[in-house]
């Protein structure tokens, strides 16, 4: 969230921000670059504060980010508004919704940074679930397991389908088809500003399971999702495997989650978010 000085210092240019995370949160949650000096860090933090103060208004992707700007950057609360980002996906007709007719759970994961987003946790939980019989299958959209050193040992886990990166501009139907034919969307991140995939799952009426880090709590559909209570890897893996086995054995629970997910899906659209931003832009 840092603009060029020529823009920041120009009073004729109106400046607005719509940020998912502050630099303060980025370095705290994701880790500070190893070779960044304290002096340089202070200088960019000073520039970031100046950017916020020179702006007309600041929008954040979460209350998590909004509170950091208010408390740690000393920006007036009236100047900062939280508007959760909507899923930038086309309107979905009921006729286009696919259903899983298989006798196992179809899971879906969306993300490029596989380790940070907890794919290894999911794969290890699946190994437990599928030990005696096939209980679940996973579709991965985004990064590839072979490209991450932290996941090399899990490359041969069974019941996994890798689709790689799917361009939403040219292959949006494929992206939607994979998600809509799934039973659950998963995001078990170690650090996360919010989790855009959770907004996409919610917009498409798909229940999800996530870990409570960063702004994740605000991004999922609370009426149809499960938030894991654990934070340590082994505890998360055990909790997830128990939940998946329970949902496999008690399909009615999953049906109720799907029913609830579809009730408020429109609240997760980009159109809904933009309608909240416009009135504030008109006032400033």
């Amino acid at each position: 969230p840092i603009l060029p000085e020529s823009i920041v210092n120009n009073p004729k240019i109106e400046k607005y921000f719509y940020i998912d995370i502050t630099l303060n949160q980025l370095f705290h949650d994701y880790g500070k670059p190893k070779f960044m000096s304290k002096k340089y860090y202070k200088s960019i933090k000073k520039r970031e504060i100046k950017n916020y103060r020179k702006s007309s208004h600041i929008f954040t992707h979460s209350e998590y980010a909004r509170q950091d700007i208010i408390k740690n950057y000393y920006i007036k609360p009236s100047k900062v508004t939280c508007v959760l980002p909507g899923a930038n996906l086309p309107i979905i007709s009921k006729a286009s919704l696919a259903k899983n007719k298989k006798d196992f759970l179809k899971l879906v994961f969306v993300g490029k940074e596989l380790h940070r987003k907890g794919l290894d946790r999911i794969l290890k939980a699946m190994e437990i679930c599928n030990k005696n019989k096939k209980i679940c299958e996973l579709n991965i959209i985004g990064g590839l397991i072979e490209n991450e050193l932290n996941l090399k040992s899990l490359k041969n886990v069974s019941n996994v389908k890798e689709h790689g990166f799917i361009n939403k501009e040219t292959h949006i139907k494929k992206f939607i088809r994979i998600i809509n034919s799934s039973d659950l969307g998963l995001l078990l991140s170690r650090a996360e500003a919010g989790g855009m995939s959770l907004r996409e799952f919610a917009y498409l009426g798909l229940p999800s399971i996530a870990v409570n880090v960063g702004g994740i709590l605000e991004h999922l559909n609370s009426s149809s999702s499960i938030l894991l209570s654990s934070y340590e890897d082994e505890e998360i893996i055990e909790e997830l495997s128990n939940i998946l086995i329970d949902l496999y054995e008690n399909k009615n629970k999953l049906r109720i989650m799907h029913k609830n997910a579809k009730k408020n899906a429109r609240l997760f659209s980009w159109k809904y978010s933009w309608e909240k931003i416009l009135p504030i832009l008109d006032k400033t």
Side-chain angles (χ1 to χ4, degrees), residues 223-271:
S223 67
S224 63
S225 299
I226 297 173
L227 197 65
L228 302 188
S229 58
S230 305
Y231 290 94
E232 299 299 324
D233 281 353
E234 293 307 314
E235 293 175 355
I236 288 171
I237 292 164
E238 183 181 359
E239 189 176 0
L240 176 60
S241 61
N242 289 337
I243 289 171
L244 293 176
I245 291 170
D246 181 52
L247 291 176
Y248 171 80
E249 293 176 346
N250 300 282
K251 295 292 197 306
N252 192 49
K253 286 185 179 180
L254 193 58
R255 279 193 286 270
I256 292 172
M257 288 175 70
H258 274 264
K259 185 178 179 181
N260 290 337
K262 289 174 173 57
K263 285 180 180 178
N264 59 357
R266 68 175 187 83
L267 303 181
F268 297 86
S269 70
W270 176 238
K271 180 177 181 292

Side-chain angles (χ1 to χ4, degrees), residues 198-211:
L198 293 173
R199 308 297 288 174
E200 293 171 335
F201 296 153
Y203 176 65
L204 295 171
L206 185 69
S208 58
I209 299 177
V211 175

Side-chain angles (χ1 to χ4, degrees), residues 110-129:
V110 179
K112 294 178 183 178
E113 297 177 59
L114 305 184
H115 184 262
R116 178 174 66 78
K117 290 180 178 288
L119 179 62
D120 56 309
R121 294 165 165 176
I122 299 169
L123 296 177
K124 288 175 181 177
M126 285 179 60
E127 282 190 301
I128 296 171
C129 293

Side-chain angles (χ1 to χ4, degrees), residues 12 14 24 26 31 58 76 80 92 102 133 138 145 152 163 169-170 177 180 195 227 234-235 242 247 252 261:
K12 294 182 179 179
E14 248 186 317
N24 178 58
L26 177 68
I58 305 159
K76 292 180 181 178
V80 192
I92 309 300
K102 304 288 186 181
K133 63 181 292 189
L138 177 68
I145 294 175
K152 288 265 182 163
H163 300 274
E169 291 186 10
T170 56
R177 185 177 68 250
N180 277 338
L227 197 65
E234 293 307 314
E235 293 175 355
N242 289 337
L247 291 176
N252 192 49

Side-chain angles (χ1 to χ4, degrees), residues 157-176:
V157 173
S158 58
N159 301 307
V160 173
K161 295 181 179 179
E162 294 187 85
H163 300 274
F165 172 72
I166 296 178
N167 189 323
K168 293 176 190 174
E169 291 186 10
T170 56
H171 293 89
I172 188 63
K173 288 184 179 179
K174 180 180 179 181
F175 179 82
I176 291 172

Side-chain angles (χ1 to χ4, degrees), residues 3 5 7-11 13-17 47-58 75 79:
L3 296 170
E5 288 292 301
I7 294 176
V8 174
N9 296 323
N10 190 337
I13 300 176
E14 248 186 317
K15 293 164 280 288
Y16 295 87
F17 286 94
R47 284 186 62 192
E48 186 185 13
I49 293 172
K50 182 179 178 181
N51 272 240
Y52 293 150
R53 289 179 177 169
K54 291 278 188 177
S55 66
S56 298
H57 202 82
I58 305 159
I75 304 298
K79 192 177 178 178

